[in-house]
């Protein structure tokens, strides 16, 4: 079945630094990947849709200059949190549409803590 | 766009009891309804899904029912076990569309 790998699984960084999170589809090509943010005890909030070879589509209220998304190949999308602040601390999860074009497979998530 | 409401937000049951989680959706064109289970700190895992041409689907202790007329669908877990404790999310979408997730239900199964 479709497998999505996400790295790192957790990261601690200092305020003002940038952090890159990678999302890879291991056994299928994903022209579209999705990035979610999840605060404790809350639902998955879609941040942006990552499109291979073109600009990402951001949801309302998500700063595109702060959350840089690059989808340079059919199997890799990256999310870079720039100039991170403590309020950016969250669980970030990527997903990709699987081969059936209905279901979505999620990455393992990245716990970001900004100190 | 699609709007998905999920209830209850928290559900506490005794081991062996049944648990029911309900969702409603707004977009009559939605035709795919997956349910995900998320354990603390882990990724959501698809546990069961149903498409609009089916009214009910069952997989061992888990079942999902769909009422397209009323635009609601439910997850039923029978003979609950402590390992069923997790957050459950419903979602609704159309083919090739991004799914809209419910707010989640925290299920607690007491041994």
């Amino acid at each position: 079945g479709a497998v999505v790998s996400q790295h790192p699984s957790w990261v601690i960084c200092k305020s003002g630094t940038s952090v890159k999170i990678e999302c890879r589809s291991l056994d299928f090509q994903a022209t579209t990947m999705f990035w979610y943010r999840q605060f404790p005890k809350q639902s998955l909030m879609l941040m942006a849709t990552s499109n291979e070879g073109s600009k990402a589509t951001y949801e309302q209220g998500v700063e595109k200059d702060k959350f840089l998304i690059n989808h340079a190949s059919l199997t890799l999308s990256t999310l870079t949190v720039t100039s991170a602040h403590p309020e950016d601390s969250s669980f970030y999860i990527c997903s990709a549409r699987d081969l059936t074009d209905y279901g979505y497979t999620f990455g393992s998530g990245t716990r970001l803590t900004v100190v | 766009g699609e709007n998905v409401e999920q209830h209850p937000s928290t559900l506490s049951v005794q081991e062996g009891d049944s648990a029911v989680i309900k969702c409603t959706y707004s977009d009559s064109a939605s035709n795919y309804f997956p349910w995900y289970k998320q354990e603390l700190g882990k990724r959501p895992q698809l546990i069961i899904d149903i498409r609009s041409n089916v009214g009910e689907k069952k997989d061992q202790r888990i079942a999902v029912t769909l009422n397209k007329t009323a635009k609601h669908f439910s997850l039923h877990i029978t003979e609950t076990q402590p390992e069923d404790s997790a957050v459950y999310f419903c979602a609704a979408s159309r083919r090739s569309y991004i799914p809209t997730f419910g707010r989640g239900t925290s299920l607690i199964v007491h041994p």
Side-chain angles (χ1 to χ4, degrees), chain B:
Chain B
E2 176 67 274
N3 182 48
V4 177
E5 299 284 340
Q6 182 173 347
H7 299 281
S9 57
T10 305
L11 180 58
S12 183
V13 300
Q14 287 295 128
E15 182 177 1
D17 288 350
S18 295
V20 180
I21 303 171
K22 299 181 179 181
C23 288
T24 61
Y25 61 100
S26 61
D27 185 355
S28 57
S30 288
N31 56 8
Y32 178 64
F33 308 91
W35 285 88
Y36 292 89
K37 175 183 179 182
Q38 187 180 25
E39 297 177 353
L40 189 62
K42 297 187 177 180
R43 79 183 82 191
Q45 299 270 18
L46 178 70
I47 56 172
I48 195 168
D49 57 12
I50 192 168
R51 298 188 186 181
S52 60
N53 57 344
V54 176
E56 183 175 359
K57 185 176 178 180
K58 190 173 181 179
D59 182 5
Q60 299 183 341
R61 296 187 297 109
I62 295 173
V64 58
T65 58
L66 170 65
N67 183 328
K68 282 222 75 178
T69 303
K71 289 191 279 191
H72 68 70
F73 56 111
S74 301
L75 177 71
H76 304 253
I77 306 175
T78 59
E79 300 172 28
T80 54
Q81 302 167 3
E83 50 265 39
D84 294 330
S85 297
V87 178
Y88 291 81
F89 293 99
C90 64
S93 72
R94 304 185 219 175
R95 182 186 178 98
S96 300
Y97 279 62
I98 302 169
T100 300
F101 290 90
R103 297 175 69 86
T105 296
S106 178
L107 174 64
I108 304 166
V109 181
H110 299 281

Side-chain angles (χ1 to χ4, degrees), chain A residues 28-115:
Chain A
F28 67 104
Q29 293 181 335
T31 56
T32 306
M33 291 185 176
F34 307 91
W35 288 95
Y36 293 86
R37 183 173 181 175
Q38 186 178 35
F39 289 108
K41 297 185 179 181
Q42 293 191 22
S43 189
L44 299 156
M45 300 302 298
L46 180 65
M47 297 176 65
T49 301
S50 172
N51 303 298
E52 188 269 333
S54 64
K55 291 183 179 180
T57 305
Y58 290 82
E59 295 299 301
Q60 191 174 7
V62 177
E63 300 175 57
K64 61 180 181 180
D65 294 330
K66 180 170 185 61
F67 298 99
L68 301 179
I69 291 172
N70 183 275
H71 195 153
S73 77
L74 288 171
T75 59
L76 174 64
S77 175
T78 61
L79 168 68
T80 301
V81 182
T82 62
S83 186
H85 291 285
E87 55 265 32
D88 298 325
S89 298
S90 187
F91 193 51
Y92 293 86
I93 309 176
C94 68
S95 76
R97 187 177 288 124
D98 68 22
L99 301 175
T100 69
D101 214 26
Y102 276 97
Y104 290 77
T105 299
F106 288 90
S108 53
T110 297
R111 172 73 58 193
L112 170 63
T113 302
V114 185
V115 298

